[in-house]
């Protein structure tokens, strides 16, 4: 855990949040500024800055599993949803702790770029 990282603190319950899924490797909680009816952040409990920061395969698999669990429990697995991860400056990454955005519950726009 990185001491000055807000997502480390939330993922490890140093600060509590609105969790929707959790296992040994991963936590998922609601984005505080939701862009869609479902907007959940899925992240590893260990600190990695981005998806290209040497994340172990087991952790990546756990994150994908968490996305499936969240999509099912949020009711968007059938209707459709989007998974994104902002990586670095050009993508506008704000929090430097790897996280996947799970967005759904409405017809999403096409403007990914
Ligand atoms: P990005 O790093 O570009 O993926 O953006 C960070 C995302 O984290 C934004 O959607 C924020 O609304 C969200 N966020 C930042 N701090 C918190 C927090 N303490 N709890 C929940 N969501 C947060």
């Amino acid at each position: 855990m990185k001491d000055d990282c807000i997502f480390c603190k939330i993922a490890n319950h140093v600060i509590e949040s609105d969790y929707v899924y959790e296992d040994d490797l991963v936590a998922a909680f609601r984005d505080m500024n939701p862009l869609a009816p479902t907007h959940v952040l899925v992240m590893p409990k260990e600190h990695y800055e981005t998806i290209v920061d040497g994340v172990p395969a087991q952790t990546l698999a756990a994150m994908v599993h968490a996305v499936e669990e969240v999509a099912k429990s949020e009711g968007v697995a059938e209707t459709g949803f989007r998974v994104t991860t902002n990586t670095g400056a050009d993508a506008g990454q704000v929090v430097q702790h790897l996280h996947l955005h799970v967005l759904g519950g409405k017809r999403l726009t096409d403007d990914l770029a």
Side-chain angles (χ1 to χ4, degrees):
M1 188 168 124
K2 193 164 176 278
D3 284 344
D4 61 349
C5 173
I6 181 75
F7 282 2
C8 277
K9 288 181 178 161
I10 296 175
N12 292 282
H13 293 275
V14 176
I15 297 171
E16 295 298 332
S17 189
D18 188 0
Y19 302 94
V20 296
Y21 176 81
E22 185 170 10
D23 61 29
D24 288 348
L25 294 173
V26 171
F29 53 87
R30 296 192 190 282
D31 195 294
M32 69 179 188
N33 184 23
L35 300 176
T38 290
H39 189 171
V40 172
L41 304 174
V42 172
M43 66 192 64
K45 292 184 173 180
E46 287 283 322
H47 186 81
Y48 301 96
E49 283 198 15
T50 70
I51 202 157
V52 289
D53 189 20
V55 188
Q58 186 187 17
T59 301
L60 292 171
M63 291 176 70
V64 174
H65 174 72
V67 168
E68 181 174 356
E69 294 297 323
V70 169
K72 287 177 177 169
S73 65
E74 291 289 306
V76 299
E78 296 295 328
T79 53
F81 63 97
R82 181 173 292 155
V83 180
T84 62
T85 182
N86 293 325
T87 305
D90 275 359
Q93 183 176 2
V94 172
V95 180
Q96 312 305 318
H97 178 123
L98 168 62
H99 53 281
L100 305 178
H101 294 256
V102 180
L103 293 151
K106 69 171 189 179
R107 184 58 65 98
L108 299 168
T109 63
D110 289 337
D111 44 328
L112 276 175

